[in-house]
């Protein structure tokens, strides 16, 4: 049997010189970062290959220094490759020191079908290759199965694996669900280059060969050693393991974890995906049960906002169809547009009232699509929105079949968060056809989308603009005078106890430090206290004209919100009075933190003072005061 090796095909006389360009579709300008690209494409491919009813499990392994492959062992897997890598016109950005241990990255999926199909298919029988995963993974770039409804479209996703390697090469080991065969191959993509006086094609393979035709390695002994050398976890479970030798140094554990969470939080929270990131003896599981605890334990500056986003996503996933507000389908044959005609009689007024109260809303939005030369297909997408005073800009997330399309955004409404989820096949197919190769944008002029649908661009804009338009419609005031329109722009801070009639009607509407009344306040208003605003906090003391002073004072604090009761909407991540940066100082009084946002103060003398600072200076603070057991000064 032929020993496995790397081999590039010598080019023929007169053959046109064309260097590969697929790497340009995954430039950092398009993707944001290389880890984002690797995670996006790797998990997308795995979700596409999921077995029915199975949770897709991804394991990403960063070997410890002791697990790296020694130079002598590494040379076994570079046989036939080094002379091509070292060719001066190979296209590699930087030389690799092959005398040092080989670092590598392993990405494995489980709960998937592996690379099924005829391994000898060479493309001469395209009709038979329609469902040949092995053929399309190893022998096609830029070509995908026609009419595919899966997440990928361009057949370019796997090229990120070689882009992630400093030697532009990777290995793939698959165990197939249908016939349990274990198959090992490798691929290297260089520029057209010369070695030993011959000109070679840019694509090389690792495997066994019949002339220049590469076939996978199936020798059990070789595969078992390969698995040991590269710390592969797969034994005989179906799926695919990708090994990236000499990975780019930009790919680190934390950047990978961030990419997983940012791009795939929706399928993780739905229970359809679990990702394990392992580094040496430590490994972190990211699934529906561990995701929140992991984020809460990090020192990420944006962890509070991230947790609020995931809490909202979890709420979205928990909404049954019966709880969704169903809109009317736009008239067929005309460009769909957003206006009040999409709402049933009485529905809009009810939704505006809920929106005004700050309630979360969930919508089922019908939309027809019409592929050219086919009939109209009725489809839909879902939209969820919430208010969050903790975000200083609008957030919207467009998710197609579990993938967050990170480059699409439409709404800029401060304090609004929106998730748009499209998974129904006809609409998902239209959106997928409009995606760029990196799956980061929806483009009307995409060659796979242009002229493929009747009124396709209008349907695409209807979905892309849905967050902005539905907020616009819900924000339009009912006929008559809106008494609250400018309340966040013009207001007056009041001393405790000096409330207006409007305050009594709508406690909690006045931003800034102050006292809330209403049903939750005692009958005796704390007019004897003086509240002074400080940067990032307040000072509480006895009013100079007070005749008595309260013995005990209960204080409750929360950041103000645009709608709703700020005290009920308080979250542990807003602040904790017992933890920095909050700082509490008392003079002639004692205090005790009874809740993360509540204090009990005992005044010992009339000239007591309590100072609390460390709050977010960019947010208004609401303070509720309850006093008891007054004493004469």
């Amino acid at each position: 049997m032929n020993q496995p090796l790397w081999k590039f095909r010598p080019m023929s006389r007169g053959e046109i010189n064309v260097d590969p360009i697929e790497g340009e579709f995954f430039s950092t300008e398009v993707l944001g970062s290389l880890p984002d690209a690797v995670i996006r494409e790797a998990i997308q491919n795995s979700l596409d290959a999921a077995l029915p009813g199975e949770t897709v499990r991804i394991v990403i392994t960063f070997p410890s220094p002791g697990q790296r492959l020694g130079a002598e062992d590494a040379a076994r897997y570079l046989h036939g490759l080094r002379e091509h890598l070292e060719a001066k016109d190979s296209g590699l950005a930087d030389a690799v020191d092959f005398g040092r241990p080989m670092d590598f990255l392993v990405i494995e999926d489980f709960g998937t079908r592996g690379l099924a199909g005829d391994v000898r298919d060479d493309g001469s029988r395209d009709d038979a290759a329609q469902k040949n995963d092995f053929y399309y993974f190893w022998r096609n770039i830029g070509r995908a199965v026609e009419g595919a409804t899966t997440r990928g479209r361009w057949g370019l996703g796997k090229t990120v694996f070689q882009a992630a390697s400093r030697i532009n090469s990777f290995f793939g080991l698959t165990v197939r669900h249908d016939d349990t065969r274990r198959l090992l191959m490798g691929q290297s993509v260089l520029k057209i280059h010369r070695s030993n006086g011959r000109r070679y094609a840019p694509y090389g393979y690792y495997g066994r060969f019949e002339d220049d035709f590469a076939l996978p390695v199936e020798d059990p002994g070789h595969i078992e050693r390969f698995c040991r050398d590269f710390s592969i976890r797969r034994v005989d479970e179906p799926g695919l393991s990708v090994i990236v030798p000499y990975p780019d140094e930009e790919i680190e554990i934390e950047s990978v974890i961030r990419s997983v969470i940012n791009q795939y939080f929706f399928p993780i929270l739905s229970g359809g995906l679990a990702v394990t990131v392992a580094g040496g003896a430590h490994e972190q599981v990211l699934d529906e049960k561990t995701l929140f605890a992991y984020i809460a334990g990090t020192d990420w500056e944006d962890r509070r906002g991230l947790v609020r986003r995931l809490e909202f996503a979890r709420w979205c996933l928990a909404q049954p169809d019966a709880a969704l507000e169903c809109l009317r389908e736009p008239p067929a044959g005309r460009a769909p547009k957003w206006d009040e005609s999409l709402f049933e009689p009485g529905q809009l007024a009810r939704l505006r009232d809920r929106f005004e109260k700050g309630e979360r809303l969930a919508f089922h939005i019908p939309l027809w699509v019409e592929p050219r030369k086919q009939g109209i297909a009725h489809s839909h997408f879902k939209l969820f929105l919430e208010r969050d005073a903790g975000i200083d800009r609008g957030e919207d997330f467009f998710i197609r079949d579990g993938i967050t399309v990170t480059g699409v955004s439409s709404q800029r409404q401060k304090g609004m968060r929106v998730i748009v989820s499209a998974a129904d096949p006809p609409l998902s197919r239209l959106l997928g056809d409009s995606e760029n190769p990196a799956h980061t944008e929806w483009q009307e002029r995409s060659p796979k989308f242009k002229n493929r649908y009747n009124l396709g661009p209008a349907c695409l804009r209807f979905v892309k603009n849905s967050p902005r338009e539905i907020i616009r419609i819900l924000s339009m005031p009912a006929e008559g005078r809106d008494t609250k329109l400018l309340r966040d722009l013009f207001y007056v801070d009041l001393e405790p106890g000096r409330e207006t009639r409007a305050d009594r009607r709508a406690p909690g509407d006045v931003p800034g430090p102050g006292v809330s009344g209403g049903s939750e306040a005692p009958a005796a208003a704390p007019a004897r206290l003086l509240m002074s605003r400080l940067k990032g906090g307040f000072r509480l003391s006895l009013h100079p004209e007070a005749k008595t002073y309260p013995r005990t004072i209960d204080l409750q604090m929360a950041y103000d919100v645009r709608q709703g009761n700020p005290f009920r909407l308080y979250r542990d991540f807003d602040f904790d009075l017992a933890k920095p940066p909050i700082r509490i100082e008392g003079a002639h009084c004692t205090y005790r933190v009874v809740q993360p946002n509540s204090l009990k103060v005992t005044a010992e003398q009339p000239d007591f003072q309590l100072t609390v600072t460390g709050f977010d200076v960019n947010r208004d603070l609401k303070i509720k005061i309850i006093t008891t057991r007054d004493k004469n000064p």
Side-chain angles (χ1 to χ4, degrees), residues 3 22 25 64 114 176 314 349 413 457 481 507 563:
Q3 289 299 313
E22 56 266 23
F25 293 109
S64 65
R176 312 195 318 175
R314 186 164 59 182
Q413 180 70 44
R481 195 174 79 177
Q563 291 292 333

Side-chain angles (χ1 to χ4, degrees), residues 384-453:
F384 308 88
L385 65 85
E386 72 164 0
R387 295 181 185 273
D388 184 346
I391 53 177
D392 56 5
R393 58 181 175 80
E395 285 187 357
D396 48 14
F397 303 91
F398 291 82
I399 300 168
R400 181 185 67 83
D401 283 334
I403 303 175
T404 303
V405 185
T406 55
V408 180
S409 180
S410 73
Q411 69 100 4
R412 299 289 185 269
Q413 180 70 44
K414 177 182 177 182
M416 295 300 307
R417 177 179 290 117
V418 180
I419 289 180
V420 174
S421 174
D424 193 53
L427 182 58
S428 175
R429 189 180 301 116
L430 179 146
L431 298 174
D433 287 342
S434 74
E435 281 175 14
N436 60 339
H439 304 289
T440 57
E441 297 178 358
W442 289 336
Q443 300 173 336
E444 296 180 10
R445 296 185 178 278
S446 167
K448 292 184 180 296
F449 178 78
K450 189 178 181 181
N451 299 324
R452 194 165 184 169
Y453 295 88

Side-chain angles (χ1 to χ4, degrees), residues 38 41-51 56-61 105-116 133-138 157-161 170-177 181-187 216 226-227 231-244:
V38 172
E41 297 299 335
I43 295 181
Q44 172 188 285
N45 292 339
S46 300
L47 291 175
D48 280 341
L51 291 170
V56 173
R57 294 185 298 110
I58 307 290
V59 180
I60 303 170
T61 303
L105 173 70
V106 182
I107 304 173
E108 302 183 79
D109 65 32
F110 300 87
T112 61
R113 62 177 181 265
L115 300 178
D133 296 327
F134 187 92
Y135 168 76
Y136 274 94
F137 185 81
W138 287 113
K158 65 266 191 176
T159 63
V160 300
F161 297 133
F170 71 98
F171 298 96
L173 171 67
T174 185
V175 177
R176 312 195 318 175
H177 179 260
R181 290 170 68 183
R182 292 197 299 175
L183 309 173
L184 171 64
M185 278 188 67
Q187 189 176 79
F226 181 89
C227 290
S231 304
I232 293 172
R233 299 193 182 198
R234 184 182 313 285
V235 180
D236 54 7
E237 308 94 327
L240 175 66
S241 301
V242 172
I243 300 90
V244 179

Side-chain angles (χ1 to χ4, degrees), residues 276-289:
T276 299
V277 181
H282 177 74
E283 66 178 39
Q284 178 61 51
V285 177
L286 303 172
D287 61 19
E288 58 180 320
K289 297 179 181 177

Side-chain angles (χ1 to χ4, degrees), residues 295-447:
I295 296 172
T298 69
D299 58 357
W300 298 346
E301 292 183 357
D302 62 341
R303 66 184 185 281
R304 296 175 181 173
L306 191 53
V307 166
R308 283 196 288 267
R309 180 195 309 170
L310 298 188
E311 286 177 341
F312 178 53
R314 186 164 59 182
W315 177 84
C316 299
L317 289 164
Q319 299 308 299
D321 289 344
L324 305 183
E325 293 284 350
C326 188
L327 304 189
R328 290 172 168 169
E329 184 179 78
R334 290 186 290 172
K337 64 178 183 179
W338 280 97
D339 58 31
E340 297 184 8
S341 67
L342 298 178
F343 296 80
E344 299 289 344
Q347 184 185 30
L348 184 54
R350 177 169 49 79
L351 289 172
R352 281 173 172 163
D353 183 59
R354 293 180 59 193
F355 181 73
E356 182 70 12
K357 292 178 180 176
E359 294 184 21
R360 286 171 169 172
L361 298 176
F363 295 88
H364 171 103
I365 304 172
L367 179 63
W368 53 267
V369 299
E370 185 177 6
R372 290 280 170 89
K373 300 180 181 178
Q374 300 181 35
I376 287 178
H378 297 279
S379 190
H380 70 273
F381 63 100
K382 298 178 181 178
L383 184 147
F384 308 88
L385 65 85
E386 72 164 0
R387 295 181 185 273
D388 184 346
I391 53 177
D392 56 5
R393 58 181 175 80
E395 285 187 357
D396 48 14
F397 303 91
F398 291 82
I399 300 168
R400 181 185 67 83
D401 283 334
I403 303 175
T404 303
V405 185
T406 55
V408 180
S409 180
S410 73
Q411 69 100 4
R412 299 289 185 269
Q413 180 70 44
K414 177 182 177 182
M416 295 300 307
R417 177 179 290 117
V418 180
I419 289 180
V420 174
S421 174
D424 193 53
L427 182 58
S428 175
R429 189 180 301 116
L430 179 146
L431 298 174
D433 287 342
S434 74
E435 281 175 14
N436 60 339
H439 304 289
T440 57
E441 297 178 358
W442 289 336
Q443 300 173 336
E444 296 180 10
R445 296 185 178 278
S446 167

Side-chain angles (χ1 to χ4, degrees), residues 493-494 510-515 531-534 537-538 620-623:
D493 284 342
L494 299 177
V510 180
V515 180
M531 184 78 73
S532 304
R533 188 197 296 262
L534 302 177
F538 63 91
D620 293 322
L621 184 68
K622 297 290 288 184
I623 306 168

